[in-house]
Amino acid sequence: MIGKVVVSVASVLLLVGVAIGVVAIVNKSGNTNLSPQMKAVQGICQTTADKASCVKTLEPVKSDDPNKLIRAFMLATQDAITKSSNFTDKTEGNMGSSISPNNKAVLDYCRKVFMYALEDLGTILEEMGEDLNTIGNKFDQIKQWLTGVYNYQTDCLDDIQEDDLRKTIAEGIASSKILTGNAIDIFHTVVSAMAKIDAKVDDFKNMTSGIFTPSDKGSAPAGKEATPVDTPVADPDGPSRRLLEDLDDLGVPTWVSGADRKLMANAGRGRRGGGGAPRIRATYVVAKDGSGQFKSIQQAVNACPDKNAGRCIIHIKAGIYREQVIIPKKKNNIFMFGDGARKTVITYNRSVGLSSGTTTSTSGTVQVESEGFMAKWIGFKNTAGPNGHQAVAIRVNGDRAVIFNCRFDGYQDTLYVNNGRQFYRNCVVSGTVDFIFGKSATVIQNSLIVIRKGNKGQYNTVTADGNEKGLSMKIGIVIQNCRIVPDKKLAAERLTVESYLGRPWKQFSTTVVINTEIGDVIRPEGWRMWDGENFHKSCRYVEYNNRGPGAITNRRVSWAKVARSAGEINQYTVANWLAPVNWIQEANVPVTLGL
């Protein structure tokens, strides 16, 4: 019965999304002579960022069936991304043997992320099937994958340092970015309609007539126009669609598998005080002294099975591991744990400024491309220093990452939360410029954020979020129940060295600071504009219920918001921002679902 209800809701979503669009078109233009196919096309395209491109893509599809139209749109997007991938290959070929190491590195990286985008889009098409009525509770995951497909394309552009090459690639992949953005908007409309309208499928059988009957629950009151679709009918970042009413004694939903519950609790430093062996059996053990199966972490990662339905558990014994670790996309569900964040340390010194042939993304000491990554009791470092500029300690590119009791130390771009949904708890993050940044839905709870002293004359910014689509993408950084302090070297100069909570990297940059102790290291203005851009006019920067001398808001910049009530920031809680949250609860880490 539950499954049948979910299917019906999915049907309602599609029909409601199209019906609202048709009503908006009819109300605005009065044109009721459109064919059923074009009414459906324009209804689907009504809320997309590039309506003309959307309509042009769907016009040749001879159907008014939303299932066929949306699937056709996804296939067109797939074709456009394939062409963009081929374009980057051709561009590299045209540059010949004279190509610089940096340009070759970034184009190689572009090739990789386009491959990832096509893999995820293939998965989306497979999960969608021919009938979207069967999509059910896959909806959130599909939209998350779609967001990733968009992010992969922007990753390519963001890593290019040379202006001319960036312009060339941007023009060459413009079509696939537009189509992917429109695909996200289409799914976003469906989510919005679901959140707002409660209606039966039968109510929309005659949707192509362009009007609602007075009995429809979704209709406008008599004498008033229906709400146009280009004004979202509901905020999709509102309450989670998956309810948490069926909880066990530990507060975990009863439908959650117990496989991962014990991992976080039992992994780590053994008996109190740090002694003793871990209480779970690792798949592989890494030890510098040869007491494990491997001496390097990368060897253990390589040994984990591809596309693993279970967990590959790697215990990294105490030691300093000087290596760059790359977890490929196919190596999913890896759980690494050490013997303490100061005892088990993975460190490297690759950077954009000091290492030839290095991009921001490839500078990472640890690079996680796969889904379902978990880590506990490990330190991640990039020791390139402030002269290295972009130098990432860890880049997490996969969905559903849970990281607990870890350290991330670097200077610029320390923690790259680049894609998917990510949750951090009881961690330490240190750096100077944009040292928590990316394009993901990330929540950092109960952690210590340490601002370091950089080069002379350099200012510090804690965050730099990369949301460039707005409400249709759930992307943004949430800092909750944390402390923001200077390190010992900066403490004496904290009032003269400028430090800010963040700056808007992209047009709709989103950062929220909740219930956090902010030291006087943060300037009274709180936030800084991105030099040369006007993103501060459209970003979403919100503070709520913070404390400490740096939390006084009477001199904050005018474009940042100070929330006065819990309702204003409820959408940024773990339960809503990272929903559905069973993947966090399965990990059995402490988590605050609300405020």
Side-chain angles (χ1 to χ4, degrees):
M1 177 61 71
I2 292 176
K4 291 182 179 179
V5 171
V6 171
V7 168
S8 296
V9 170
S11 301
V12 171
L13 287 183
L14 293 169
L15 294 172
V16 167
V18 175
I20 295 174
V22 172
V23 170
I25 293 168
V26 173
N27 283 340
K28 288 180 178 180
S29 65
N31 182 5
T32 59
N33 296 322
L34 292 172
S35 68
Q37 185 253 358
M38 282 310 299
K39 286 181 181 178
V41 167
Q42 294 199 33
I44 288 172
C45 295
Q46 183 63 23
T47 58
T48 57
D50 194 320
K51 298 179 183 64
S53 171
C54 179
V55 171
K56 183 179 179 181
T57 302
L58 290 180
E59 272 182 330
V61 183
K62 303 304 180 184
S63 175
D64 61 355
D65 181 353
N67 292 298
K68 293 181 179 178
L69 289 168
I70 293 176
R71 184 170 181 82
F73 195 93
M74 301 303 294
L75 289 169
T77 303
Q78 185 181 49
D79 182 62
I81 293 175
T82 300
K83 291 178 180 177
S84 291
S85 179
N86 293 338
F87 178 80
T88 59
D89 288 344
K90 183 179 178 181
T91 300
E92 182 173 352
N94 290 341
M95 298 177 81
S97 59
S98 62
I99 187 172
S100 69
N102 281 3
N103 284 344
K104 177 170 176 49
V106 76
L107 290 175
D108 287 346
Y109 181 70
C110 288
R111 183 182 301 110
K112 179 190 292 186
V113 293
F114 276 114
M115 179 184 69
Y116 290 164
L118 287 169
E119 286 179 7
D120 282 357
L121 203 47
T123 302
I124 290 168
L125 285 163
E126 181 179 346
E127 293 293 339
M128 285 173 57
E130 298 295 332
D131 184 358
L132 282 170
N133 290 348
T134 63
I135 206 169
N137 58 9
K138 300 173 186 176
F139 200 92
D140 291 304
Q141 184 62 67
I142 287 177
K143 191 179 176 188
Q144 188 61 58
W145 283 328
L146 258 181
T147 300
V149 170
Y150 187 90
N151 284 345
Y152 285 133
Q153 296 170 74
T154 62
D155 287 349
C156 169
L157 295 176
D158 290 336
D159 266 19
I160 300 174
Q161 297 290 313
E162 188 178 289
D163 291 340
D164 288 343
L165 180 59
R166 188 187 305 109
K167 182 180 178 181
T168 297
I169 296 297
E171 292 173 350
I173 71 172
S175 178
S176 64
K177 272 192 69 183
I178 289 171
L179 263 66
T180 309
N182 280 347
I184 291 171
D185 293 337
I186 290 169
F187 272 74
H188 171 79
T189 303
V190 174
V191 174
S192 297
M194 178 180 179
K196 184 68 176 178
I197 296 178
D198 177 19
K200 296 179 181 179
V201 176
D202 290 344
D203 293 334
F204 297 97
K205 283 185 176 179
N206 298 316
M207 66 179 181
T208 51
S209 65
I211 58 172
F212 288 115
T213 62
S215 61
D216 289 335
K217 293 182 181 180
S219 64
K224 294 186 179 181
E225 292 186 353
T227 304
V229 188
D230 49 0
T231 300
V233 296
D235 189 344
D237 300 336
S240 166
R241 294 203 296 112
R242 192 166 186 174
L243 301 179
L244 301 175
E245 69 273 19
D246 296 323
L247 305 179
D248 62 18
D249 292 339
L250 298 176
V252 179
T254 54
W255 64 78
V256 170
S257 168
D260 286 337
R261 294 170 186 257
K262 297 179 181 179
L263 290 181
M264 280 289 185
N266 292 339
R269 300 185 295 180
R271 294 189 299 270
R272 184 173 297 177
R279 293 171 288 172
I280 62 170
R281 183 182 297 276
T283 313
Y284 301 111
V285 176
V286 180
K288 299 284 289 184
D289 61 8
S291 61
Q293 291 102 318
F294 304 105
K295 290 186 177 181
S296 85
I297 301 165
Q298 189 64 57
Q299 289 174 325
V301 169
N302 294 344
C304 286
D306 296 350
K307 300 180 180 179
N308 188 12
R311 282 279 173 197
C312 185
I313 304 169
I314 302 174
H315 175 206
I316 308 170
K317 289 188 175 182
I320 307 298
Y321 296 82
R322 291 182 174 85
E323 59 176 306
Q324 194 170 36
V325 179
I326 299 174
I327 302 177
K329 189 174 176 63
K330 62 185 178 181
K331 301 288 184 180
N332 60 308
N333 293 334
I334 286 180
F335 174 36
M336 292 180 171
F337 70 93
D339 291 336
R342 292 187 180 275
K343 293 182 178 180
T344 298
V345 178
I346 310 171
T347 182
Y348 211 65
N349 63 352
R350 197 171 177 184
S351 70
V352 172
L354 299 176
S355 307
S356 178
T358 299
T359 72
T360 301
S361 296
T362 62
S363 71
T365 297
V366 174
Q367 301 171 32
V368 181
E369 307 285 6
S370 61
E371 294 187 352
F373 176 74
M374 297 189 345
K376 182 179 181 181
W377 294 125
I378 299 175
F380 302 85
K381 286 188 177 182
N382 191 310
T383 58
N387 292 328
H389 304 300
Q390 298 97 321
V392 175
I394 187 171
R395 173 172 59 84
V396 180
N397 221 40
D399 190 30
R400 294 176 287 106
V402 178
I403 300 180
F404 181 56
N405 283 4
C406 290
R407 287 188 65 97
F408 310 95
D409 293 307
Y411 284 86
Q412 182 172 343
D413 293 357
T414 304
L415 176 59
Y416 196 173
V417 291
N418 194 41
N419 193 18
R421 293 163 292 180
Q422 304 184 27
F423 178 68
Y424 298 78
R425 175 90 177 198
N426 294 9
C427 293
V428 178
V429 190
S430 73
T432 54
V433 178
D434 306 338
F435 62 95
I436 302 172
F437 78 113
K439 292 165 282 190
S440 64
T442 289
V443 176
I444 302 173
Q445 282 187 351
N446 295 58
S447 296
L448 182 65
I449 297 171
V450 182
I451 302 175
R452 304 180 73 174
K453 182 180 178 181
N455 286 330
K456 186 176 181 180
Q458 183 183 65
Y459 60 80
N460 299 315
T461 45
V462 176
T463 64
D465 176 63
N467 187 338
E468 60 178 66
K469 279 285 291 174
L471 284 175
S472 61
M473 297 174 78
K474 192 178 284 187
I475 289 177
I477 299 166
V478 178
I479 296 172
Q480 183 180 9
N481 299 331
C482 294
R483 293 176 59 217
I484 301 176
V485 300
D487 74 352
K488 291 181 179 178
K489 292 184 178 179
L490 179 61
E493 302 177 42
R494 69 189 187 283
L495 301 181
T496 56
V497 174
E498 297 181 7
S499 297
Y500 303 89
L501 293 171
R503 57 177 181 159
W505 179 25
K506 301 290 184 178
Q507 185 177 0
F508 300 102
S509 180
T510 300
T511 304
V512 184
V513 184
I514 303 169
N515 295 342
T516 290
E517 181 180 330
I518 305 175
D520 60 3
V521 64
I522 296 297
R523 296 274 296 180
E525 305 96 296
W527 309 85
R528 183 184 176 94
M529 290 189 294
W530 192 279
D531 294 341
E533 299 288 355
N534 291 316
F535 298 153
H536 63 285
K537 295 181 179 180
S538 51
C539 68
R540 289 186 290 175
Y541 281 174
V542 186
E543 298 176 57
Y544 175 72
N545 199 36
N546 299 309
R547 60 195 181 278
I552 300 171
T553 58
N554 58 358
R555 292 173 58 189
R556 284 294 193 257
V557 292
S558 61
W559 39 272
K561 178 179 179 179
V562 178
R564 303 300 181 186
S565 68
E568 296 177 74
I569 46 90
N570 186 55
Q571 62 182 308
Y572 302 110
T573 61
V574 166
N576 292 326
W577 198 237
L578 304 181
V581 295
N582 58 299
W583 55 278
I584 299 174
Q585 294 165 312
E586 286 176 9
N588 200 32
V589 298
V591 56
T592 303
L593 294 178
L595 296 176

mmCIF file of all heavy atoms in Angstrom, residues 349-366:
data_model
loop_
_atom_site.group_PDB
_atom_site.id
_atom_site.type_symbol
_atom_site.label_atom_id
_atom_site.label_comp_id
_atom_site.label_asym_id
_atom_site.label_seq_id
_atom_site.Cartn_x
_atom_site.Cartn_y
_atom_site.Cartn_z
ATOM 1 N N ASN A 349 51.948 17.991 -0.143
ATOM 2 C CA ASN A 349 52.226 19.420 -0.300
ATOM 3 C C ASN A 349 51.981 19.935 -1.713
ATOM 4 O O ASN A 349 52.597 20.904 -2.150
ATOM 5 C CB ASN A 349 53.672 19.718 0.105
ATOM 6 C CG ASN A 349 54.690 19.012 -0.795
ATOM 7 O OD1 ASN A 349 54.323 18.190 -1.630
ATOM 8 N ND2 ASN A 349 55.961 19.340 -0.617
ATOM 9 N N ARG A 350 51.066 19.328 -2.431
ATOM 10 C CA ARG A 350 50.799 19.754 -3.800
ATOM 11 C C ARG A 350 49.939 21.014 -3.806
ATOM 12 O O ARG A 350 49.002 21.138 -3.001
ATOM 13 C CB ARG A 350 50.084 18.629 -4.557
ATOM 14 C CG ARG A 350 50.118 18.787 -6.060
ATOM 15 C CD ARG A 350 49.601 17.533 -6.751
ATOM 16 N NE ARG A 350 49.564 17.713 -8.196
ATOM 17 C CZ ARG A 350 49.086 16.811 -9.041
ATOM 18 N NH1 ARG A 350 48.604 15.669 -8.574
ATOM 19 N NH2 ARG A 350 49.081 17.052 -10.337
ATOM 20 N N SER A 351 50.226 21.948 -4.722
ATOM 21 C CA SER A 351 49.491 23.216 -4.762
ATOM 22 C C SER A 351 49.511 23.793 -6.164
ATOM 23 O O SER A 351 50.373 23.447 -6.988
ATOM 24 C CB SER A 351 50.094 24.227 -3.782
ATOM 25 O OG SER A 351 51.373 24.653 -4.240
ATOM 26 N N VAL A 352 48.585 24.704 -6.423
ATOM 27 C CA VAL A 352 48.526 25.379 -7.714
ATOM 28 C C VAL A 352 49.718 26.314 -7.884
ATOM 29 O O VAL A 352 50.290 26.427 -8.964
ATOM 30 C CB VAL A 352 47.198 26.160 -7.857
ATOM 31 C CG1 VAL A 352 47.201 27.022 -9.118
ATOM 32 C CG2 VAL A 352 46.012 25.197 -7.885
ATOM 33 N N GLY A 353 50.098 26.977 -6.798
ATOM 34 C CA GLY A 353 51.157 27.976 -6.885
ATOM 35 C C GLY A 353 52.562 27.420 -7.004
ATOM 36 O O GLY A 353 53.428 28.052 -7.615
ATOM 37 N N LEU A 354 52.801 26.232 -6.452
ATOM 38 C CA LEU A 354 54.169 25.720 -6.377
ATOM 39 C C LEU A 354 54.379 24.399 -7.114
ATOM 40 O O LEU A 354 55.528 23.959 -7.249
ATOM 41 C CB LEU A 354 54.574 25.546 -4.909
ATOM 42 C CG LEU A 354 54.564 26.821 -4.045
ATOM 43 C CD1 LEU A 354 54.886 26.483 -2.601
ATOM 44 C CD2 LEU A 354 55.534 27.859 -4.592
ATOM 45 N N SER A 355 53.322 23.771 -7.583
ATOM 46 C CA SER A 355 53.445 22.456 -8.231
ATOM 47 C C SER A 355 52.994 22.561 -9.681
ATOM 48 O O SER A 355 51.825 22.844 -9.959
ATOM 49 C CB SER A 355 52.590 21.411 -7.503
ATOM 50 O OG SER A 355 52.881 21.382 -6.122
ATOM 51 N N SER A 356 53.896 22.333 -10.605
ATOM 52 C CA SER A 356 53.571 22.423 -12.023
ATOM 53 C C SER A 356 52.524 21.368 -12.387
ATOM 54 O O SER A 356 52.542 20.241 -11.882
ATOM 55 C CB SER A 356 54.827 22.219 -12.858
ATOM 56 O OG SER A 356 54.541 22.265 -14.238
ATOM 57 N N GLY A 357 51.616 21.735 -13.282
ATOM 58 C CA GLY A 357 50.614 20.786 -13.745
ATOM 59 C C GLY A 357 49.586 20.426 -12.698
ATOM 60 O O GLY A 357 49.076 19.295 -12.681
ATOM 61 N N THR A 358 49.251 21.381 -11.827
ATOM 62 C CA THR A 358 48.312 21.109 -10.733
ATOM 63 C C THR A 358 47.148 22.083 -10.791
ATOM 64 O O THR A 358 47.342 23.288 -10.966
ATOM 65 C CB THR A 358 49.012 21.220 -9.369
ATOM 66 O OG1 THR A 358 50.052 20.255 -9.302
ATOM 67 C CG2 THR A 358 48.038 20.974 -8.225
ATOM 68 N N THR A 359 45.941 21.583 -10.627
ATOM 69 C CA THR A 359 44.751 22.419 -10.522
ATOM 70 C C THR A 359 44.279 22.408 -9.067
ATOM 71 O O THR A 359 44.773 21.632 -8.247
ATOM 72 C CB THR A 359 43.625 21.889 -11.417
ATOM 73 O OG1 THR A 359 43.100 20.674 -10.850
ATOM 74 C CG2 THR A 359 44.126 21.595 -12.825
ATOM 75 N N THR A 360 43.306 23.247 -8.763
ATOM 76 C CA THR A 360 42.753 23.250 -7.409
ATOM 77 C C THR A 360 42.256 21.863 -7.035
ATOM 78 O O THR A 360 42.547 21.340 -5.952
ATOM 79 C CB THR A 360 41.600 24.258 -7.289
ATOM 80 O OG1 THR A 360 42.075 25.567 -7.604
ATOM 81 C CG2 THR A 360 41.025 24.261 -5.883
ATOM 82 N N SER A 361 41.521 21.239 -7.933
ATOM 83 C CA SER A 361 40.938 19.926 -7.645
ATOM 84 C C SER A 361 41.992 18.846 -7.472
ATOM 85 O O SER A 361 41.854 17.960 -6.621
ATOM 86 C CB SER A 361 39.956 19.526 -8.745
ATOM 87 O OG SER A 361 38.862 20.413 -8.789
ATOM 88 N N THR A 362 43.049 18.885 -8.278
ATOM 89 C CA THR A 362 44.059 17.837 -8.211
ATOM 90 C C THR A 362 45.133 18.102 -7.161
ATOM 91 O O THR A 362 46.016 17.283 -6.962
ATOM 92 C CB THR A 362 44.736 17.628 -9.580
ATOM 93 O OG1 THR A 362 45.403 18.832 -9.978
ATOM 94 C CG2 THR A 362 43.702 17.242 -10.632
ATOM 95 N N SER A 363 45.033 19.249 -6.476
ATOM 96 C CA SER A 363 45.997 19.534 -5.405
ATOM 97 C C SER A 363 45.666 18.773 -4.123
ATOM 98 O O SER A 363 46.498 18.679 -3.224
ATOM 99 C CB SER A 363 46.027 21.036 -5.100
ATOM 100 O OG SER A 363 44.830 21.445 -4.438
ATOM 101 N N GLY A 364 44.469 18.223 -4.022
ATOM 102 C CA GLY A 364 44.019 17.617 -2.781
ATOM 103 C C GLY A 364 44.895 16.490 -2.286
ATOM 104 O O GLY A 364 45.225 15.577 -3.046
ATOM 105 N N THR A 365 45.255 16.531 -1.009
ATOM 106 C CA THR A 365 46.000 15.425 -0.408
ATOM 107 C C THR A 365 45.172 14.150 -0.479
ATOM 108 O O THR A 365 45.669 13.081 -0.825
ATOM 109 C CB THR A 365 46.346 15.755 1.053
ATOM 110 O OG1 THR A 365 47.208 16.907 1.069
ATOM 111 C CG2 THR A 365 47.039 14.591 1.740
ATOM 112 N N VAL A 366 43.895 14.260 -0.155
ATOM 113 C CA VAL A 366 42.949 13.150 -0.331
ATOM 114 C C VAL A 366 41.833 13.640 -1.242
ATOM 115 O O VAL A 366 41.276 14.715 -1.023
ATOM 116 C CB VAL A 366 42.387 12.662 1.016
ATOM 117 C CG1 VAL A 366 41.294 11.615 0.799
ATOM 118 C CG2 VAL A 366 43.500 12.084 1.892
#
